[in-house]
């Protein structure tokens, strides 16, 4: 994952995050976060992440992945069809809204939803992504406990990068997840 901090860096970032109750969902819509923006060569953000995260990915003239394989570290499963995987926003759009993105401009929300420079987008199984929904780490954890360290580091990094708050329960679970990282 691009921009993934070490466990030590993530622990420092977590200690600096503002702790706050979730904000109102008033005004929220996925459309408030223009996602799957064009990245050039007919490729949108989704197709770019599929290629980045996949093995032996082949594309058609419209940049759609036609073959390849993708490993979903959330549930430790591998898939050979792009239709079996989703691109997860590590920090879901609705969670970002509840933790400060409600005050952002549309351009900042678009940058967040299409961020290829930080550990915000990841190819995972469709089933795990849909199970997660817009839940925070205290409400949903990757089924494969081996993923907790990386998930906690990625979540904390994204929240830190974008100045988003965490709830007290979210912070506690992120501390637990970061505690699974090997020294």
């Amino acid at each position: 994952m691009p921009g993934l901090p070490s466990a030590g860096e993530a622990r420092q970032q977590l200690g600096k995050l503002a702790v706050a109750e979730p904000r109102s969902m008033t005004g929220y819509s996925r459309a408030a976060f223009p996602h799957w923006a064009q990245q050039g060569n007919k490729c949108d953000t989704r197709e770019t992440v599929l290629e980045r995260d996949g093995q032996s990915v082949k594309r058609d003239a419209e940049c759609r992945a036609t073959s390849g394989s993708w490993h979903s570290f959330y549930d430790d499963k591998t898939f050979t069809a792009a239709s079996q995987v989703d691109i997860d926003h590590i920090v879901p759009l609705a969670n970002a809204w509840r933790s400060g993105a409600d005050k952002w401009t549309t351009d900042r929300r678009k940058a967040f939803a299409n961020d290829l420079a930080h550990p915000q987008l990841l190819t995972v199984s469709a089933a795990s992504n849909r199970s997660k929904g817009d839940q925070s780490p205290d409400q949903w954890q990757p089924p494969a406990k081996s993923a907790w360290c990386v998930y906690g580091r990625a979540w904390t990094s994204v929240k830190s990068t974008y100045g988003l708050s965490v709830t007290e329960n979210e912070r506690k679970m992120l501390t637990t997840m970061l505690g699974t990282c090997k020294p």
Side-chain angles (χ1 to χ4, degrees):
M1 261 190 271
L4 187 67
S6 70
E9 291 167 331
R11 285 185 193 97
Q12 288 179 349
Q13 291 171 339
L14 182 60
K16 295 176 183 174
L17 292 178
V19 176
E21 290 300 311
R23 299 165 75 104
S24 169
M25 287 297 286
T26 301
Y28 171 75
S29 148
R30 281 184 66 85
F33 292 81
H35 52 290
W36 308 155
Q38 287 300 305
Q39 300 294 332
N41 298 322
K42 298 183 181 180
C43 297
D44 65 16
T45 303
R46 173 184 162 73
E47 296 301 335
T48 301
V49 176
L50 283 172
E51 182 178 50
R52 181 196 73 198
D53 293 352
Q55 298 292 315
S56 304
V57 176
K58 302 280 189 256
R59 298 177 177 180
D60 66 16
E62 298 302 312
C63 195
R64 291 181 299 252
T66 57
S67 66
S69 67
W70 296 269
H71 184 260
S72 170
F73 93 110
Y74 284 178
D75 44 15
D76 199 25
K77 295 179 181 175
T78 300
F79 300 89
T80 57
S83 61
Q84 297 172 310
V85 295
D86 284 349
I87 306 304
D88 180 38
H89 289 92
I90 296 283
V91 174
L93 307 180
N95 181 282
W97 184 270
R98 289 189 299 268
S99 28
D102 60 324
K103 301 295 184 197
W104 294 351
T105 64
T106 300
D107 284 346
R108 183 152 171 82
R109 287 192 293 265
K110 180 179 181 180
F112 176 83
N114 295 280
D115 188 344
L116 297 170
H118 300 96
Q120 167 62 344
L121 299 171
L122 180 67
T123 305
V124 298
S125 70
S128 66
N129 189 45
R130 292 166 194 174
S131 167
K132 174 185 169 188
D134 68 353
Q135 299 177 89
S136 57
D138 55 304
Q139 301 162 324
W140 183 91
Q141 303 86 38
K145 199 164 182 177
S146 59
W148 284 21
C149 172
V150 170
Y151 187 75
R153 288 162 52 203
W155 184 284
T156 301
S157 175
V158 171
K159 287 271 180 140
S160 176
T161 297
Y162 286 93
L164 297 169
S165 64
V166 292
T167 65
E168 184 60 36
N169 287 338
E170 182 180 347
R171 187 180 64 74
K172 286 177 184 173
M173 188 61 200
L174 287 166
T175 300
T176 297
M177 287 180 160
L178 293 173
T180 68
C181 299
K182 294 185 179 19

